[in-house]
Amino acid sequence: MSPNLPVLVGVVPLFHVQSMTMSQGYRIERIMGSRWSQATQPTVKTIAIEAILIGPDRLLVKKALEAMALTSRALVAAAAPLLAVSGIPVVSGMTISLDMQITDLRITHSTTKREALDVSISLQHVPRSNLSALVGEAADLALAVATAAATAAPPPSPVPRSPGPPL
């Protein structure tokens, strides 16, 4: 059994990620005076993370996420010099994405989960320089190669499958 590896959003580890979606593609433009279309430029890469914060430190993790989302004017002013150099890295088993910025942070507390907070985070890629964009792509490629080399097919289940009763 493998350990529960967190998704890192900046320095904040999210141990109970329910889903993670990454979107990227190309902008399609019609060629003037023609019926043909062409991919002209990449669209912005976005990442959406749905997670649950549990345990006694859930409010500290919430505050750390709020600080990265720059939810107050004081935080924006304090972080402005750092944001000119680097964005928020997102590191998971699916991607290593540098220079991300939180565009939406939604935290939900409900009576059905009194000791937990549901968190929804949307991030957008905001490259600071061509060098940081290249480093991020190289790190993402290295993750893909290492995962492909290290991962073997899971062993077959020892319990044989049999058809159940008809419904």
Side-chain angles (χ1 to χ4, degrees):
M1 183 162 177
S2 64
N4 183 17
L5 297 175
V7 170
L8 292 175
V9 178
V11 295
V12 178
L14 299 174
F15 286 98
H16 304 283
V17 172
Q18 305 303 300
S19 70
M20 182 171 171
T21 305
M22 186 167 64
S23 300
Q24 52 189 348
Y26 286 91
R27 184 168 293 132
I28 306 297
E29 305 268 341
R30 183 169 299 281
I31 298 173
M32 189 178 280
S34 171
R35 60 185 176 125
W36 302 99
S37 297
Q38 176 178 342
T40 59
Q41 61 186 344
T43 58
V44 176
K45 176 169 52 171
T46 60
I47 296 175
I49 301 171
E50 301 288 332
I52 300 174
L53 305 180
I54 59 174
D57 63 341
R58 68 186 175 278
L59 295 178
L60 293 174
V61 173
K62 173 185 153 299
K63 279 300 185 191
L65 291 171
E66 288 173 349
M68 281 190 295
L70 305 173
T71 56
S72 76
R73 292 176 196 224
L75 287 172
V76 171
L82 294 175
L83 289 176
V85 178
S86 174
I88 300 168
V90 175
V91 180
S92 71
M94 180 171 70
T95 185
I96 296 175
S97 297
L98 306 178
D99 291 337
M100 301 299 288
Q101 182 62 49
I102 295 175
T103 57
D104 186 51
L105 175 64
R106 189 173 56 245
I107 299 169
T108 307
H109 188 218
S110 67
T111 58
T112 58
K113 298 180 189 173
R114 292 186 188 270
E115 300 299 319
L117 299 173
D118 291 323
V119 176
S120 177
I121 307 168
S122 297
L123 300 107
Q124 180 174 327
H125 186 237
V126 184
R128 303 311 197 254
S129 69
N130 288 339
L131 178 61
S132 69
L134 287 173
V135 169
E137 288 300 319
D140 202 28
L141 180 62
L143 173 69
V145 169
T147 301
T151 305
S157 175
V159 178
R161 290 187 156 183
S162 61
L167 296 175

mmCIF file of all heavy atoms in Angstrom, residues 40-68:
data_model
loop_
_atom_site.group_PDB
_atom_site.id
_atom_site.type_symbol
_atom_site.label_atom_id
_atom_site.label_comp_id
_atom_site.label_asym_id
_atom_site.label_seq_id
_atom_site.Cartn_x
_atom_site.Cartn_y
_atom_site.Cartn_z
ATOM 1 N N THR A 40 -3.951 28.794 -33.171
ATOM 2 C CA THR A 40 -3.032 29.930 -33.233
ATOM 3 C C THR A 40 -2.159 30.079 -32.004
ATOM 4 O O THR A 40 -1.008 30.462 -32.111
ATOM 5 C CB THR A 40 -3.814 31.241 -33.431
ATOM 6 O OG1 THR A 40 -4.733 31.398 -32.346
ATOM 7 C CG2 THR A 40 -4.546 31.232 -34.754
ATOM 8 N N GLN A 41 -2.693 29.812 -30.823
ATOM 9 C CA GLN A 41 -1.898 29.967 -29.616
ATOM 10 C C GLN A 41 -2.510 29.130 -28.501
ATOM 11 O O GLN A 41 -3.695 28.866 -28.495
ATOM 12 C CB GLN A 41 -1.829 31.429 -29.202
ATOM 13 C CG GLN A 41 -3.164 32.044 -28.894
ATOM 14 C CD GLN A 41 -3.051 33.530 -28.621
ATOM 15 O OE1 GLN A 41 -1.979 34.041 -28.373
ATOM 16 N NE2 GLN A 41 -4.163 34.232 -28.669
ATOM 17 N N PRO A 42 -1.655 28.723 -27.536
ATOM 18 C CA PRO A 42 -2.197 27.953 -26.414
ATOM 19 C C PRO A 42 -3.137 28.807 -25.569
ATOM 20 O O PRO A 42 -2.941 30.015 -25.436
ATOM 21 C CB PRO A 42 -0.959 27.577 -25.599
ATOM 22 C CG PRO A 42 0.202 27.804 -26.490
ATOM 23 C CD PRO A 42 -0.207 28.846 -27.485
ATOM 24 N N THR A 43 -4.166 28.175 -25.020
ATOM 25 C CA THR A 43 -5.035 28.864 -24.068
ATOM 26 C C THR A 43 -4.373 28.803 -22.701
ATOM 27 O O THR A 43 -3.369 28.124 -22.502
ATOM 28 C CB THR A 43 -6.423 28.205 -24.003
ATOM 29 O OG1 THR A 43 -6.258 26.833 -23.634
ATOM 30 C CG2 THR A 43 -7.154 28.305 -25.320
ATOM 31 N N VAL A 44 -4.934 29.484 -21.761
ATOM 32 C CA VAL A 44 -4.383 29.524 -20.415
ATOM 33 C C VAL A 44 -4.614 28.174 -19.734
ATOM 34 O O VAL A 44 -5.699 27.606 -19.813
ATOM 35 C CB VAL A 44 -5.060 30.648 -19.607
ATOM 36 C CG1 VAL A 44 -4.586 30.649 -18.173
ATOM 37 C CG2 VAL A 44 -4.791 31.993 -20.256
ATOM 38 N N LYS A 45 -3.573 27.674 -19.070
ATOM 39 C CA LYS A 45 -3.706 26.428 -18.309
ATOM 40 C C LYS A 45 -4.381 26.746 -16.975
ATOM 41 O O LYS A 45 -4.009 27.699 -16.294
ATOM 42 C CB LYS A 45 -2.339 25.801 -18.061
ATOM 43 C CG LYS A 45 -2.426 24.564 -17.181
ATOM 44 C CD LYS A 45 -1.170 23.729 -17.095
ATOM 45 C CE LYS A 45 0.077 24.433 -16.744
ATOM 46 N NZ LYS A 45 1.198 23.517 -16.479
ATOM 47 N N THR A 46 -5.396 25.955 -16.633
ATOM 48 C CA THR A 46 -6.078 26.118 -15.353
ATOM 49 C C THR A 46 -6.097 24.784 -14.617
ATOM 50 O O THR A 46 -6.097 23.714 -15.239
ATOM 51 C CB THR A 46 -7.528 26.618 -15.532
ATOM 52 O OG1 THR A 46 -8.245 25.670 -16.313
ATOM 53 C CG2 THR A 46 -7.568 27.985 -16.190
ATOM 54 N N ILE A 47 -6.098 24.864 -13.310
ATOM 55 C CA ILE A 47 -6.196 23.681 -12.457
ATOM 56 C C ILE A 47 -7.316 23.927 -11.446
ATOM 57 O O ILE A 47 -7.381 24.996 -10.843
ATOM 58 C CB ILE A 47 -4.872 23.402 -11.718
ATOM 59 C CG1 ILE A 47 -3.758 23.077 -12.724
ATOM 60 C CG2 ILE A 47 -5.033 22.267 -10.712
ATOM 61 C CD1 ILE A 47 -2.387 22.899 -12.086
ATOM 62 N N ALA A 48 -8.191 22.952 -11.290
ATOM 63 C CA ALA A 48 -9.265 23.010 -10.293
ATOM 64 C C ALA A 48 -9.053 21.859 -9.320
ATOM 65 O O ALA A 48 -8.871 20.715 -9.736
ATOM 66 C CB ALA A 48 -10.625 22.906 -10.961
ATOM 67 N N ILE A 49 -9.061 22.170 -8.031
ATOM 68 C CA ILE A 49 -8.836 21.172 -6.979
ATOM 69 C C ILE A 49 -10.014 21.194 -6.018
ATOM 70 O O ILE A 49 -10.410 22.257 -5.546
ATOM 71 C CB ILE A 49 -7.526 21.460 -6.214
ATOM 72 C CG1 ILE A 49 -6.332 21.446 -7.167
ATOM 73 C CG2 ILE A 49 -7.331 20.458 -5.076
ATOM 74 C CD1 ILE A 49 -5.037 21.933 -6.535
ATOM 75 N N GLU A 50 -10.555 20.015 -5.750
ATOM 76 C CA GLU A 50 -11.592 19.843 -4.735
ATOM 77 C C GLU A 50 -10.982 19.003 -3.618
ATOM 78 O O GLU A 50 -10.472 17.908 -3.878
ATOM 79 C CB GLU A 50 -12.816 19.115 -5.307
ATOM 80 C CG GLU A 50 -13.474 19.808 -6.480
ATOM 81 C CD GLU A 50 -14.232 21.049 -6.086
ATOM 82 O OE1 GLU A 50 -14.714 21.118 -4.937
ATOM 83 O OE2 GLU A 50 -14.334 21.954 -6.932
ATOM 84 N N ALA A 51 -10.988 19.520 -2.386
ATOM 85 C CA ALA A 51 -10.363 18.815 -1.278
ATOM 86 C C ALA A 51 -11.194 18.985 -0.016
ATOM 87 O O ALA A 51 -12.092 19.828 0.053
ATOM 88 C CB ALA A 51 -8.945 19.349 -1.043
ATOM 89 N N ILE A 52 -10.875 18.155 0.968
ATOM 90 C CA ILE A 52 -11.499 18.250 2.288
ATOM 91 C C ILE A 52 -10.398 18.509 3.303
ATOM 92 O O ILE A 52 -9.365 17.821 3.302
ATOM 93 C CB ILE A 52 -12.253 16.950 2.638
ATOM 94 C CG1 ILE A 52 -13.353 16.685 1.612
ATOM 95 C CG2 ILE A 52 -12.839 17.037 4.038
ATOM 96 C CD1 ILE A 52 -14.054 15.346 1.799
ATOM 97 N N LEU A 53 -10.605 19.498 4.151
ATOM 98 C CA LEU A 53 -9.672 19.783 5.240
ATOM 99 C C LEU A 53 -10.258 19.185 6.511
ATOM 100 O O LEU A 53 -11.365 19.542 6.917
ATOM 101 C CB LEU A 53 -9.484 21.293 5.422
ATOM 102 C CG LEU A 53 -9.045 22.090 4.194
ATOM 103 C CD1 LEU A 53 -8.902 23.562 4.551
ATOM 104 C CD2 LEU A 53 -7.771 21.540 3.616
ATOM 105 N N ILE A 54 -9.512 18.259 7.102
ATOM 106 C CA ILE A 54 -9.976 17.633 8.336
ATOM 107 C C ILE A 54 -8.856 17.714 9.365
ATOM 108 O O ILE A 54 -7.705 17.975 9.041
ATOM 109 C CB ILE A 54 -10.411 16.173 8.117
ATOM 110 C CG1 ILE A 54 -9.266 15.329 7.570
ATOM 111 C CG2 ILE A 54 -11.610 16.089 7.216
ATOM 112 C CD1 ILE A 54 -9.588 13.855 7.482
ATOM 113 N N GLY A 55 -9.218 17.494 10.604
ATOM 114 C CA GLY A 55 -8.229 17.478 11.667
ATOM 115 C C GLY A 55 -8.144 18.818 12.386
ATOM 116 O O GLY A 55 -8.729 19.815 11.968
ATOM 117 N N PRO A 56 -7.388 18.833 13.466
ATOM 118 C CA PRO A 56 -7.316 20.053 14.284
ATOM 119 C C PRO A 56 -6.628 21.226 13.590
ATOM 120 O O PRO A 56 -6.840 22.371 13.972
ATOM 121 C CB PRO A 56 -6.526 19.606 15.516
ATOM 122 C CG PRO A 56 -5.797 18.382 15.108
ATOM 123 C CD PRO A 56 -6.610 17.746 14.023
ATOM 124 N N ASP A 57 -5.840 20.963 12.550
ATOM 125 C CA ASP A 57 -5.140 22.049 11.860
ATOM 126 C C ASP A 57 -5.893 22.564 10.630
ATOM 127 O O ASP A 57 -5.358 23.351 9.866
ATOM 128 C CB ASP A 57 -3.735 21.603 11.472
ATOM 129 C CG ASP A 57 -3.746 20.450 10.480
ATOM 130 O OD1 ASP A 57 -4.786 19.772 10.371
ATOM 131 O OD2 ASP A 57 -2.713 20.228 9.823
ATOM 132 N N ARG A 58 -7.153 22.163 10.445
ATOM 133 C CA ARG A 58 -7.890 22.553 9.239
ATOM 134 C C ARG A 58 -8.042 24.064 9.100
ATOM 135 O O ARG A 58 -7.994 24.591 7.994
ATOM 136 C CB ARG A 58 -9.241 21.856 9.180
ATOM 137 C CG ARG A 58 -10.242 22.289 10.230
ATOM 138 C CD ARG A 58 -11.507 21.430 10.195
ATOM 139 N NE ARG A 58 -12.407 21.771 11.259
ATOM 140 C CZ ARG A 58 -12.317 21.340 12.511
ATOM 141 N NH1 ARG A 58 -11.334 20.521 12.848
ATOM 142 N NH2 ARG A 58 -13.192 21.716 13.422
ATOM 143 N N LEU A 59 -8.198 24.785 10.218
ATOM 144 C CA LEU A 59 -8.349 26.235 10.135
ATOM 145 C C LEU A 59 -7.025 26.910 9.805
ATOM 146 O O LEU A 59 -6.997 27.944 9.130
ATOM 147 C CB LEU A 59 -8.940 26.785 11.426
ATOM 148 C CG LEU A 59 -10.377 26.314 11.716
ATOM 149 C CD1 LEU A 59 -10.859 26.862 13.047
ATOM 150 C CD2 LEU A 59 -11.323 26.697 10.599
ATOM 151 N N LEU A 60 -5.911 26.328 10.232
ATOM 152 C CA LEU A 60 -4.597 26.870 9.855
ATOM 153 C C LEU A 60 -4.352 26.674 8.356
ATOM 154 O O LEU A 60 -3.831 27.573 7.688
ATOM 155 C CB LEU A 60 -3.491 26.187 10.662
ATOM 156 C CG LEU A 60 -3.478 26.480 12.161
ATOM 157 C CD1 LEU A 60 -2.434 25.622 12.860
ATOM 158 C CD2 LEU A 60 -3.239 27.955 12.408
ATOM 159 N N VAL A 61 -4.724 25.523 7.825
ATOM 160 C CA VAL A 61 -4.583 25.268 6.386
ATOM 161 C C VAL A 61 -5.479 26.230 5.611
ATOM 162 O O VAL A 61 -5.076 26.795 4.592
ATOM 163 C CB VAL A 61 -4.905 23.797 6.051
ATOM 164 C CG1 VAL A 61 -4.931 23.570 4.552
ATOM 165 C CG2 VAL A 61 -3.908 22.877 6.723
ATOM 166 N N LYS A 62 -6.694 26.462 6.106
ATOM 167 C CA LYS A 62 -7.611 27.416 5.473
ATOM 168 C C LYS A 62 -6.968 28.794 5.414
ATOM 169 O O LYS A 62 -6.993 29.467 4.379
ATOM 170 C CB LYS A 62 -8.920 27.464 6.256
ATOM 171 C CG LYS A 62 -9.905 28.531 5.825
ATOM 172 C CD LYS A 62 -11.089 28.524 6.795
ATOM 173 C CE LYS A 62 -11.802 29.800 6.944
ATOM 174 N NZ LYS A 62 -11.138 30.951 7.420
ATOM 175 N N LYS A 63 -6.376 29.255 6.518
ATOM 176 C CA LYS A 63 -5.731 30.571 6.555
ATOM 177 C C LYS A 63 -4.539 30.639 5.602
ATOM 178 O O LYS A 63 -4.309 31.653 4.946
ATOM 179 C CB LYS A 63 -5.286 30.926 7.976
ATOM 180 C CG LYS A 63 -6.394 31.447 8.817
ATOM 181 C CD LYS A 63 -6.951 32.691 8.182
ATOM 182 C CE LYS A 63 -7.994 33.368 8.983
ATOM 183 N NZ LYS A 63 -8.682 34.401 8.225
ATOM 184 N N ALA A 64 -3.784 29.556 5.493
ATOM 185 C CA ALA A 64 -2.644 29.533 4.565
ATOM 186 C C ALA A 64 -3.126 29.634 3.122
ATOM 187 O O ALA A 64 -2.522 30.342 2.303
ATOM 188 C CB ALA A 64 -1.821 28.262 4.774
ATOM 189 N N LEU A 65 -4.215 28.944 2.787
ATOM 190 C CA LEU A 65 -4.783 29.041 1.442
ATOM 191 C C LEU A 65 -5.305 30.453 1.178
ATOM 192 O O LEU A 65 -5.119 31.002 0.089
ATOM 193 C CB LEU A 65 -5.903 28.018 1.246
ATOM 194 C CG LEU A 65 -5.460 26.559 1.188
ATOM 195 C CD1 LEU A 65 -6.674 25.635 1.218
ATOM 196 C CD2 LEU A 65 -4.610 26.292 -0.036
ATOM 197 N N GLU A 66 -5.960 31.048 2.171
ATOM 198 C CA GLU A 66 -6.450 32.415 2.015
ATOM 199 C C GLU A 66 -5.287 33.388 1.798
ATOM 200 O O GLU A 66 -5.397 34.321 0.998
ATOM 201 C CB GLU A 66 -7.257 32.840 3.236
ATOM 202 C CG GLU A 66 -8.610 32.176 3.329
ATOM 203 C CD GLU A 66 -9.341 32.482 4.629
ATOM 204 O OE1 GLU A 66 -8.721 33.054 5.570
ATOM 205 O OE2 GLU A 66 -10.533 32.150 4.712
ATOM 206 N N ALA A 67 -4.181 33.170 2.496
ATOM 207 C CA ALA A 67 -3.013 34.041 2.320
ATOM 208 C C ALA A 67 -2.459 33.921 0.905
ATOM 209 O O ALA A 67 -2.100 34.924 0.280
ATOM 210 C CB ALA A 67 -1.935 33.686 3.346
ATOM 211 N N MET A 68 -2.410 32.699 0.372
ATOM 212 C CA MET A 68 -1.927 32.530 -1.001
ATOM 213 C C MET A 68 -2.904 33.112 -2.017
ATOM 214 O O MET A 68 -2.498 33.558 -3.088
ATOM 215 C CB MET A 68 -1.677 31.053 -1.312
ATOM 216 C CG MET A 68 -0.378 30.568 -0.744
ATOM 217 S SD MET A 68 0.034 28.945 -1.352
ATOM 218 C CE MET A 68 -1.258 27.974 -0.661
#
